[in-house]
Amino acid sequence: MKIILDSKQIEQIISELAEKIAAGIDEKLFDDIVTIGIRSRGEILAQRLAAQLSKKLDRDVPCGTLDITLY
């Protein structure tokens, strides 16, 4: 199996994405931010992104999961 990104590269990309999201929103909207991941691997990504956003915004960013198996 070919490895496209290792764990350090994934963490770097998530951090950069969180930085861009945080920089691109108005402070008034900080309370309206949530992350939602599609079950099963997307929820892990959403959790990691929510953790990074929480650090950058200095507030809790809720994280949810969307289960699309019935669709």
Side-chain angles (χ1 to χ4, degrees):
M1 176 173 29
K2 181 179 178 180
I3 296 174
I4 298 172
L5 299 170
D6 63 26
S7 62
K8 289 180 184 178
Q9 291 170 316
I10 292 171
E11 192 62 35
Q12 179 64 33
I13 289 169
I14 292 171
S15 180
E16 289 172 5
L17 180 59
E19 186 68 39
K20 288 181 181 183
I21 292 170
I25 59 171
D26 190 350
E27 248 182 78
K28 297 181 283 189
L29 301 175
F30 282 1
D31 291 332
D32 295 333
I33 293 178
V34 299
T35 61
I36 299 178
I38 297 174
R39 183 158 286 161
S40 68
R41 291 185 185 120
E43 65 187 316
I44 296 168
L45 180 60
Q47 290 167 353
R48 292 172 75 175
L49 181 58
Q52 286 289 331
L53 282 169
S54 293
K55 288 179 191 176
K56 293 187 185 317
L57 301 176
D58 197 31
R59 65 185 67 230
D60 186 42
V61 174
C63 182
T65 301
L66 180 63
D67 188 351
I68 61 169
T69 55
L70 296 176
Y71 304 101

